[in-house]
Amino acid sequence: MGRRRGRDLDGWLILDKPLGPTSTDMVNRFRWALDARKAGHGGTLDPLASGVLPIAFGKATATIPYIMDATKRYRFTLSFGESRTTDDLEGEILARSEHRPSDEAIQAVLPRLSGEVMQVPPVYSALRVGGQRAYDLARAGRPPDLPARPARIDSITLVSRPDRDTAVFEVQSGKGVYMRALARDIALACGTVGHVSVLRRLKCGPFEISQAYVPALDAEGQLKLDKMAESGDKAGVLPVPLWPVATALDDIPALAVTHEEGKRLVCGKRLETLSLLDRPVETLNDQPLWRVCLEGHVLGLCRVDHSQVKAVRMLENHLFFGD
């Protein structure tokens, strides 16, 4: 038998991603430094963006889709006067404008950019077009014509105007909303052009920036954990305790079950909603997902279908069958 690669780590590391590396770079660095067998992340941040990057290890990777779908909060600075190919500082200048909107003009356009909207993604994005990444096509001189996509933007708040050339916004949004595209659209709605000059994610699902670990980097921008790993001591290095696997599901409403009900769900059997009438589940059908809890333990997720409760993804079975 071949040697199993890496050790089993289960849980979430909430990282304050620095500027420069990609999200995948950070996952790979921590996976190697910690000798983790399996790892992934809960939502891409551009190299020029910083902030909350949830990194999943082991069993936590099964909950990544729920983090990807979760509500996120960002703060960004919109610089007026120049549009760029990438909609951020990295790109080449496409157009210039001398117009600078007033605070009142900015406030007036925000309501029509909020709610359920159609958003054209940035040309420099990871979307696939004919099997290729949009940014690869753009870099090859063949920028794709990307269609508008549905987007949910819960709120846009004008936080401050540091000067006439810039405005700072805080945004709460759903899955797949591009802050670079939103900044571009705010500027256009105000009769000018602009791009994102600073972007920071403050929240991703249940994970807040206040919970995030700030990695130590050396002068070359490499993780200091990497240096420790070179000594062969990497298997013992954990910069902070990992958050439990089920933390990713904290934003999903809880449904308490008995031991027998939990065992049925873990075994793939369904529950009749009538059996749950002694609990406050009158809104079962109004929720797409429920977090199944047994005596403080999160067993997994379920949904209601035709008056039956069925498992969607179970994370724990050791409470019933051992490890």
Side-chain angles (χ1 to χ4, degrees):
M1 292 180 62
R3 180 180 178 273
R4 179 176 59 82
R5 296 183 62 186
R7 62 169 174 159
D8 288 321
L9 282 178
D10 297 312
W12 288 92
L13 174 64
I14 313 308
L15 184 69
D16 186 347
K17 188 189 89 65
L19 300 176
T22 67
S23 298
T24 300
D25 287 339
M26 298 310 294
V27 171
N28 290 339
R29 291 181 190 184
F30 274 92
R31 182 181 181 184
W32 183 81
L34 301 177
D35 193 28
R37 184 179 184 186
K38 189 176 184 181
H41 66 75
T44 301
L45 282 177
D46 296 331
L48 294 184
S50 67
V52 176
L53 178 67
I55 298 180
F57 293 101
K59 293 180 181 178
T61 58
T63 64
I64 284 177
Y66 307 105
I67 289 295
M68 300 287 280
D69 289 343
T71 297
K72 300 172 180 66
R73 191 168 70 248
Y74 297 86
R75 179 173 289 211
F76 67 80
T77 299
L78 167 54
S79 291
F80 295 110
E82 293 178 349
S83 63
R84 300 196 175 219
T85 52
T86 57
D87 295 314
D88 63 15
L89 281 173
E90 189 177 30
E92 298 177 359
I93 296 173
L94 286 174
R96 289 186 169 92
S97 172
E98 295 300 321
H99 177 60
R100 300 294 184 268
S102 65
D103 290 11
E104 292 75 18
I106 293 172
Q107 296 281 15
V109 305
L110 297 184
R112 68 174 186 256
L113 295 172
S114 305
E116 299 292 335
V117 300
M118 298 297 290
Q119 185 185 71
V120 177
V123 172
Y124 282 79
S125 64
L127 293 175
R128 289 193 177 275
V129 180
Q132 292 183 274
R133 298 290 188 185
Y135 54 65
D136 288 332
L137 293 171
R139 288 167 183 157
R142 295 179 286 120
D145 185 14
L146 298 175
R149 309 190 321 163
R152 192 196 87 227
I153 300 177
D154 300 324
S155 64
I156 312 171
T157 303
L158 175 61
V159 176
S160 65
R161 289 294 299 275
D163 51 57
R164 68 185 296 270
D165 293 326
T166 58
V168 179
F169 297 88
E170 194 161 301
V171 178
Q172 183 163 295
S173 68
K175 176 185 178 182
V177 177
Y178 290 91
M179 293 301 114
R180 288 177 291 142
L182 178 58
R184 173 202 68 204
D185 293 344
I186 292 173
L188 289 173
C190 291
T192 185
V193 293
H195 62 275
V196 165
S197 53
V198 180
L199 175 58
R200 185 158 173 78
R201 185 156 64 196
L202 305 177
K203 186 176 187 293
C204 186
F207 302 123
E208 304 265 1
I209 192 66
S210 60
Q211 302 165 331
Y213 165 70
V214 180
L217 304 178
D218 62 19
E220 299 173 351
Q222 297 297 311
L223 280 175
K224 290 188 176 180
L225 283 175
D226 292 352
K227 301 299 182 184
M228 299 174 71
E230 289 173 3
S231 69
D233 192 32
K234 61 182 177 180
V237 178
L238 267 175
V240 289
L242 297 182
W243 290 79
V245 171
T247 310
L249 311 179
D250 280 357
D251 283 353
I252 299 172
L255 176 65
V257 296
T258 65
H259 189 277
E260 183 58 33
E261 290 167 343
K263 186 174 182 179
R264 286 181 62 83
L265 289 172
V266 165
C267 292
K269 298 178 181 179
R270 301 188 180 196
L271 303 178
E272 298 292 336
T273 55
L274 289 175
S275 69
L276 303 173
L277 289 180
D278 60 330
R279 273 151 284 171
V281 295
E282 63 275 3
T283 58
L284 271 176
N285 291 288
D286 297 333
Q287 293 289 344
L289 287 174
W290 287 86
R291 178 166 42 103
V292 182
C293 298
L294 172 62
E295 298 173 353
H297 297 279
V298 178
L299 303 182
L301 295 172
C302 68
R303 73 170 76 250
V304 177
D305 182 22
H306 300 298
S307 300
Q308 290 186 320
V309 181
K310 64 178 182 179
V312 173
R313 180 181 290 275
M314 291 291 109
L315 303 174
E316 300 286 352
N317 61 16
H318 68 275
L319 296 176
F320 310 102
F321 309 110
D323 294 326

